[in-house]
């Protein structure tokens, strides 16, 4: 399965988004990770449909919307209309997981489910055949720039084992504290998509992309 780096918009300079999006395109980035926070499921508030709609008019990245939102089913259709290509909801934030996943898929979107660091991978056994992607949070959600939680690597290995048994097409994504020092180990453990915030947007964006790809072992 192809390995992808997905820059997190949350770490970008919002005063200079246009030029940064051009740099991501120049760096052959395909996926833009969009962290939507409601101030309830997580302490922070980020951005929502208006920002995503504005970006959709200007860039053609795959929009990977990560909903850190209570009762996300309220907004799934709105994010679809705003230009989302995929929507990931949190296991901990949704009372009716199966219903939410079905709703996401009804709009032709990539369906994803995220789990917080303390949530066991085993909780996903029944739903894993129904989703396109699982996102393992390797930091506690809500803030950028946090350090990678080491036991996340064991969770990736456990999830990859389940993937081989139950859903070979499953995409494994990791978000939080991803950098040149751990991206290769995560890839070897089975990660397909690497959400990177500070390690992309802090400093020279194109150099950072190259450094991550070099560490990953890709051209």
């Amino acid at each position: 399965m192809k390995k992808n780096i997905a820059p997190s918009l949350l770490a970008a300079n919002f005063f200079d988004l246009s030029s940064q999006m051009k740099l991501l395109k120049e760096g052959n980035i395909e996926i833009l990770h969009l962290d939507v926070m409601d101030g309830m499921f997580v302490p922070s508030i980020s951005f929502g449909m208006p920002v995503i709609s504005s970006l959709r008019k200007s860039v053609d990245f795959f929009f990977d919307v990560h909903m850190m939102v209570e009762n996300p089913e309220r907004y799934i259709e709105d994010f679809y209309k705003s230009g989302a290509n995929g929507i990931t909801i949190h296991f901990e934030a949704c009372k009716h997981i199966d219903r939410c996943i079905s709703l996401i898929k009804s709009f032709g979107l990539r369906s994803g489910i995220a789990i917080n660091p303390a949530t066991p991978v085993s909780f996903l056994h029944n739903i894993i055949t129904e989703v396109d992607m699982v996102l393992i949070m390797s930091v506690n959600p809500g803030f950028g720039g946090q350090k990678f939680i080491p036991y996340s690597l064991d969770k990736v290995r456990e999830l990859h084992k389940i993937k081989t048994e139950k859903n070979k097409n499953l995409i494994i994504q990791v978000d939080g504290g991803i950098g040149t020092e751990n991206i290769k180990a995560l890839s070897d453990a089975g990660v397909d998509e690497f959400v990177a915030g500070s390690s992309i947007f802090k400093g020279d964006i194109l150099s950072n992309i190259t450094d991550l790809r070099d560490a990953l072992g890709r051209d």
Side-chain angles (χ1 to χ4, degrees), residues 91-125:
F91 177 87
E92 305 86 359
C94 189
K95 294 178 181 177
H96 303 287
I97 297 289
D98 190 82
R99 184 185 300 166
C100 286
I101 294 299
S102 294
L103 181 59
I104 293 168
K105 292 166 77 171
S106 75
F107 292 109
L109 304 175
R110 185 175 81 170
S111 61
I113 188 163
I115 53 173
N116 287 340
T119 301
V121 171
S122 60
F123 283 12
L124 302 180
H125 268 282

Side-chain angles (χ1 to χ4, degrees), residues 55-124:
L55 281 169
R56 182 79 288 171
K57 295 171 185 175
S58 304
V59 295
D60 61 355
F61 301 114
F62 182 99
F63 278 10
D64 173 35
V65 176
H66 175 196
M67 294 182 68
M68 288 175 266
V69 173
E70 292 283 356
N71 302 317
E73 63 274 12
R74 297 175 294 163
Y75 304 111
I76 288 169
E77 183 172 1
D78 291 329
F79 281 112
Y80 162 70
K81 291 178 178 177
S82 298
N85 299 109
I87 291 179
T88 300
I89 59 172
H90 265 264
F91 177 87
E92 305 86 359
C94 189
K95 294 178 181 177
H96 303 287
I97 297 289
D98 190 82
R99 184 185 300 166
C100 286
I101 294 299
S102 294
L103 181 59
I104 293 168
K105 292 166 77 171
S106 75
F107 292 109
L109 304 175
R110 185 175 81 170
S111 61
I113 188 163
I115 53 173
N116 287 340
T119 301
V121 171
S122 60
F123 283 12
L124 302 180

Side-chain angles (χ1 to χ4, degrees), residues 118-214:
T119 301
V121 171
S122 60
F123 283 12
L124 302 180
H125 268 282
N126 291 332
I127 195 69
I128 203 165
T129 57
E130 305 304 315
V131 295
D132 301 307
M133 186 185 78
V134 170
L135 165 56
I136 291 181
M137 292 300 300
S138 46
V139 298
N140 289 293
F143 301 98
Q146 298 181 67
K147 290 184 178 180
F148 179 83
I149 296 174
Y151 65 72
S152 304
L153 196 56
D154 292 329
K155 292 180 71 175
V156 171
R157 294 189 184 104
E158 183 181 354
L159 178 60
H160 188 263
K161 185 175 185 295
I162 299 170
K163 168 183 174 174
T164 60
E165 295 169 352
K166 303 189 74 169
N167 185 354
K168 289 182 172 59
N169 294 319
L170 183 77
I171 296 166
I172 298 177
Q173 186 182 82
V174 170
D175 181 0
I178 307 299
T180 54
E181 72 283 355
N182 57 23
I183 194 169
K184 183 63 166 62
L186 286 164
S187 177
D188 291 345
V191 176
D192 305 298
E193 290 183 5
F194 309 85
V195 178
S198 301
S199 58
I200 290 285
F201 288 105
K202 187 176 181 180
D204 187 307
I205 289 174
L206 285 176
S207 293
N208 291 338
I209 293 171
T210 298
D211 289 345
L212 284 169
R213 287 204 173 113
D214 286 345

